[in-house]
Amino acid sequence: MRLSSLRGMGYAAPIALLTIIPLLVVLASFLHPQPEVWAHLSEYVLPDVIKNTLILIVGVGLGVLLLGVPLAWLTAVCEFPGRRFFSWALMLPLAMPAYVLAFVQVGLLDFTGPVQTLIRELTGDSSWFPRIRSTGGVIMVLSLAFYPYVYLLARNAFLTQGKRALEAAQMLGLSRAQGFWLVALPMARPWLIGGLTLALMETLADFGTVSIFNFDTFTTAIYKSWFALFNLPAASQLASILVLFVLVLVALEYWARGARLYHGRIVAAERIHLQGTYRWLAIALCSTVLLIAFIIPLIQLLLWVATIWQDDFDARYIGFTLRSMLISLFAALIVAVFALLLVFIQRRFASTGTRWVVRLATLGYAVPGSVLAVGVFLPIAWLDNLLIPIANSLGFATFQILKGSVAVMLLALAARFMAVAFQPMESAMQRISRNQEDAARSLGLSQRQLLWRLHLPLLRGGVLTAVLMCFVDVMKEMPITLMTRPFGWDTLAVRVFEMTSEGMWANAALPSLMIVITGLIPVVLLVLKSED
C-alpha cells in the first residue's frame, strides 16, 4: 500500500472512530449474549418488536413508493395547472418532523378529535371511521412524513428522462402506460432505491411517532429497557439486533442497485400536456397529499398555539429554545469541522483505503439515534468507572464525570449527522478541478496556502449548507437528546415528547411549531438549489 494512502487513512481514522466505536460496542454485546437477558427478550419483547418492525418496513415502503413516484412523475414529466407550485411545495413535509405530524393527526382524527366529533354531530355515529391509533395509522403517518425522500430522487430521475423515454418506447410499439412501466420506471431504479432506503432507515430510526401510537418497535424497546427497566444490557442487546436490520438494509440497497451504470443530465424537455379529466386528477392528487401532509397539520398547530399561547408560554420556553439552539449550533459546528477535514483528506490523499475510512466515518446517518446513544454511553460509563476512583483519591467527591454531560450528547450527535455535513461539502469540492489546483501551485502556493486561498473560499456555499442542515437536523432530533441529555437539560424536542406522552396535544404545539419553522430553512435551500 502506498505511503500517501496510509497517511490518508491515518488522518481520517480518528474521526471515523466516532462512529466505529459505538457500532463495535453495540455489536460486541450481540457476540456476548447474557442468557437471562435473552430469555426475557425472546419471550416477552422480540416477537412483537420484530413483527411490528417488519410490518412497518413493508407498509411504509409501499406507502412512500405509492405517494412519491406518481407525484414525481406528474411534476417532472407532465404539464398541468399549478405544476410549478406543486414541484417545490410537495417537498414542504420534509420540514415537519414525523412525531409532530403523528400527534397532529391523532389529535385531529381520534375519537375526541374535531373530525369524528363533526361526523357524530352530522350523522349521529362515527364508529365506522377508521381508527387512527392502529397499525394502518402509523404506516399512514410515516408514509406521509417520509415520501419526500422518494419524491425528490425520483423527480430528479424523471427530469433526466423527460418524455424522450416514452417516445422511444412508443417507437417500439408500446403504449404510453407500457412505456412507463417497462422503460421509464426501470431506468429510474437507482434513484427509487436510494429514496426508498432513506425512507426505511428513517422508519427504523423513528422513535417519537411509534411512541405516540404506542406501537412497540426496536427504538421504543431500547428506550424502555434503559429508562423504564434500568436494564442497559438489554438495551444494548436490542440495539445490536437493530444494527443488523440496518446492515441488511444497506446490503440489499447495494444488491438492488447492481453494477449497472445509469447516466443522464437534466434537460429542458417538452412535457406531456394533460387534458380533461387527467389534469384535474393530477391537481387533486397533488393537493390532497400536500393538504394532509403539511397544510392542515400546520394550520392545526397554529390553532392550538393560539389557544394555549398566553397560559403556556413562560420563561421555561426561553430555556428550551436556548438549549435547543446551543446544542444544535455546537453540534453543527463540530460536525462541519470534522466533515471539512474528511473532505480535505479524501482530496489530498485520494485512494481506495482513504475513501473506505471516510465512508465508515459517515456511516452514522444510517444508524438509529437510539443505537448510537447506547453505543456512546457504554464506553463513556466504562471510562467514568476508571476515572472516578482517581478523582476521589485526589479529593474530588463525585459519582460521575463524563456520564450525563453535554459532551456525550455532542459525540453521539456528531457520529449521527457526519454524513449530512459531508455530502454538500464533497459536492462543492468536486466542482474544484485539479487544473485549478495545478494552476494555483504553479503560482507558488504551498499546500496550506492552497487550502486557505483556493479551497475554503470556493467551499463557502457547501460549508454554509452543511452547517444549516446539521443545525436543523439536530433541532428536530429526539432519541439521542432524550437518552443522553444532562439532568434538567430539556430542549424543544424533549418538551414535545413529554407533552405528547401525556396526550397534551395543544401544549405540544408550541415547541413543535418552533421546530417546524426552523425546519423550513433546509427545504427553502433545497428549493433554491433545485431552481439553479
Side-chain angles (χ1 to χ4, degrees), residues 64 113 170 197 202 205 211 275 290 307 338 341 349 357 359 383 402 458 472 495 503 517 526 528:
V64 295
Q170 287 175 314
T197 306
E202 291 288 348
S211 296
Q275 303 294 333
L290 184 61
T307 61
F338 285 156
L341 289 172
F349 305 98
V357 177
R359 171 69 176 162
L383 189 59
L402 296 173
L458 293 178
V472 174
R495 176 71 174 169
I517 291 172
L526 282 171
L528 293 176

Side-chain angles (χ1 to χ4, degrees), residues 69-80:
V69 174
L71 294 173
W73 177 259
L74 287 172
T75 56
V77 180
C78 302
E79 187 63 61
F80 56 92

Side-chain angles (χ1 to χ4, degrees), residues 294-497:
F294 187 76
I295 293 177
I296 291 176
L298 183 62
I299 292 172
Q300 182 61 60
L301 282 178
L302 290 169
L303 292 174
W304 275 332
V305 169
T307 61
I308 55 93
W309 169 264
Q310 292 184 333
D311 297 329
D312 201 51
F313 185 78
D314 52 30
R316 293 172 304 161
Y317 273 91
I318 297 175
F320 298 149
T321 307
L322 280 178
R323 284 189 284 272
S324 293
M325 295 186 74
L326 277 177
I327 197 68
S328 302
L329 181 62
F330 278 112
L333 292 177
I334 291 170
V335 171
V337 169
F338 285 156
L340 196 57
L341 289 172
L342 287 175
V343 168
F344 283 134
I345 292 168
Q346 184 171 266
R347 182 63 171 250
R348 176 70 177 80
F349 305 98
S351 69
T352 304
T354 305
R355 281 196 295 274
W356 267 105
V357 177
V358 170
R359 171 69 176 162
L360 287 174
T362 57
L363 195 62
Y365 196 63
V367 181
S370 53
V371 173
L372 284 173
V374 174
V376 169
F377 185 84
L378 285 172
I380 290 292
W382 173 80
L383 189 59
D384 245 17
N385 290 335
L386 291 181
L387 294 177
I388 287 171
I390 299 174
N392 291 336
S393 66
L394 295 175
F396 297 100
T398 180
F399 63 93
Q400 64 179 22
I401 298 175
L402 296 173
K403 281 189 299 186
S405 67
V406 176
V408 176
M409 187 162 48
L410 287 173
L411 283 175
L413 290 170
R416 175 87 169 93
F417 295 113
M418 191 71 71
V420 177
F422 178 79
Q423 288 175 355
M425 290 191 201
E426 186 189 32
S427 299
M429 181 63 95
Q430 286 176 352
R431 294 183 180 179
I432 304 174
S433 68
R434 295 286 183 184
N435 291 336
Q436 287 175 292
E437 293 178 346
D438 293 339
R441 287 195 188 91
S442 69
L443 295 174
L445 266 64
S446 65
Q447 191 62 38
R448 183 172 299 178
Q449 290 171 323
L450 199 68
L451 174 67
W452 287 105
R453 300 180 62 178
L454 177 69
H455 288 141
L456 282 180
L458 293 178
L459 286 176
R460 278 182 304 185
V463 172
L464 179 63
T465 303
V467 171
L468 283 174
M469 293 185 73
C470 285
F471 180 89
V472 174
D473 271 343
V474 175
M475 189 82 116
K476 293 190 294 184
E477 203 281 337
M478 181 180 282
I480 291 177
T481 310
L482 195 63
M483 297 167 81
T484 61
R485 75 191 193 282
F487 179 75
W489 232 81
D490 292 347
T491 62
L492 291 171
V494 173
R495 176 71 174 169
V496 173
F497 174 77

Side-chain angles (χ1 to χ4, degrees), residues 98 121 144 216 253 262 292 479:
E121 288 176 358
L144 288 169
D216 285 334
E253 183 201 5
Y262 299 79
I292 297 175

